[in-house]
Amino acid sequence: MVFILFMSFIILLRIGELILSRRNEKWLLQNKAVEYGEKHYPFIVALHVLFLISLIVEYIISRPVSCSLYFLVYYFMLLLFKIWVISSLGKFWNTKVYRIPSFPLVKKGPYKYFKHPNYLIVIGEIAVIPLIFHLYYTAAIFSFLNAIMLWVRIREENKALQI
């Protein structure tokens, strides 16, 4: 039951993030934003959908009897960090890479200290969410796949930020 509630929470959170991203995308495009890395975006979507499916499949196959309170608390700490990142970027936050050439880069919140704080969260989420339920295969496989995807994504984002 805990797994079902947690997965429902994760899925609803992701849907909320996509709704916010779409709303911000409209604002960005109205302000002449340019999109970067549009070729790799479908792979990011596929990675995250397959991650959720893998969580469910591995859980059904392995039937873990407990969940890790340590990793659950760690996940909610990541969630607080994510809220800080999203609120710091405001209308500039998006699941895609956009840049409005005439606007300065955001330098507040965690962006004062890190160039890509959101990706620290994504790395943490991909590893921690499966570990809450002892789903080691999903944690390992998707951490590896996510590392490859972030390598591509960060290169594209760095191109956008240099303009």
Side-chain angles (χ1 to χ4, degrees):
M1 182 59 131
V2 173
F3 180 77
I4 293 169
L5 289 172
F6 186 75
M7 286 304 298
S8 298
F9 174 75
I10 295 293
I11 291 167
L12 289 172
L13 191 61
R14 294 295 185 263
I15 291 169
E17 289 171 5
L18 290 173
I19 291 168
L20 176 61
S21 178
R22 184 68 181 134
R23 189 172 62 214
N24 289 347
E25 181 178 31
K26 287 178 185 176
W27 180 85
L28 287 161
L29 291 173
Q30 288 171 352
N31 286 279
K32 299 182 175 41
V34 178
E35 183 177 359
Y36 295 84
E38 48 279 285
K39 290 180 183 173
H40 76 268
Y41 187 72
F43 294 101
I44 290 176
V45 172
L47 178 84
H48 285 270
V49 169
L50 290 172
F51 172 68
L52 294 173
I53 292 168
S54 180
L55 287 166
I56 294 166
V57 169
E58 187 177 355
Y59 183 84
I60 290 169
I61 291 170
S62 66
R63 298 249 181 230
V65 293
S66 67
C67 67
S68 168
L69 185 58
Y70 169 78
F71 284 116
L72 186 61
V73 169
Y74 188 70
Y75 170 74
F76 283 106
M77 289 171 44
L78 283 170
L79 191 55
L80 290 174
F81 189 45
K82 179 187 259 185
I83 291 166
W84 188 30
V85 165
I86 291 171
S87 64
S88 295
L89 285 176
K91 292 194 176 284
F92 293 98
W93 182 83
N94 206 281
T95 59
K96 297 178 182 178
V97 178
Y98 282 105
R99 175 79 198 281
I100 302 174
S102 60
F103 279 65
L105 296 178
V106 172
K107 295 288 186 185
K108 64 181 183 176
Y111 290 90
K112 280 194 268 190
Y113 313 105
F114 303 104
K115 191 171 185 178
H116 301 287
N118 193 60
Y119 300 135
L120 296 173
I121 297 163
V122 174
I123 290 166
E125 286 178 328
I126 295 290
V128 169
I129 290 171
L131 293 176
I132 293 169
F133 297 99
H134 312 287
L135 306 176
Y136 304 112
Y137 291 109
T138 299
I141 291 166
F142 281 88
S143 288
F144 174 73
L145 293 173
N146 186 52
I148 294 168
M149 193 75 262
L150 285 179
W151 181 76
V152 172
R153 173 78 169 206
I154 289 171
R155 283 185 31 204
E156 286 296 322
E157 193 163 311
N158 284 339
K159 286 179 194 174
L161 296 176
Q162 289 177 2
I163 292 176

